[in-house]
Amino acid sequence: RPVTGNTAALEVDEPFDRAWRRVGLALDRSGFSVEDRDRAGGLYFVRYVDPKFAGKEEPGWWDRLTGKAGDQPRGPLRYRIAVKGSGDKTVVSVLTSTGAPEPGENGQRIVGQLVKELR
């Protein structure tokens, strides 16, 4: 279930080991590219493509040169999915590529996808 507040997070009623495995499977099923994982640190390093931009090309060099690339689609964004267990509950959080909490729409979208896949 999603955690309330400004953080993109959800709580799973399972211990860390089981939640770690299920989150990994959910990421795979959701189409994320898992670039790396650090089980000891409880982190998945993933790439996410905003569905608004999926399948659209990146702006060409001419568009970037002339400034027409501003509203063009962006490529994949990198995030960290943090899995932190505490007893028989685990919190799964979406972090930016630098490790800060992700407060934006993409973070909420990622949590929504994970909630759907973890059911």
Side-chain angles (χ1 to χ4, degrees), residues 7-52:
T7 60
L10 63 113
E11 186 178 73
V12 182
D13 291 329
E14 295 179 347
F16 174 82
D17 290 335
R18 186 174 165 120
W20 173 262
R21 187 177 66 245
R22 290 192 62 215
V23 168
L25 292 171
L27 290 169
D28 288 341
R29 283 192 306 263
S30 297
F32 287 91
S33 295
V34 177
E35 295 182 326
D36 199 4
R37 58 193 58 156
D38 173 8
R39 191 175 191 289
L43 293 171
Y44 284 98
F45 298 87
V46 300
R47 283 186 311 167
Y48 172 74
V49 176
D50 188 326
K52 294 184 287 193

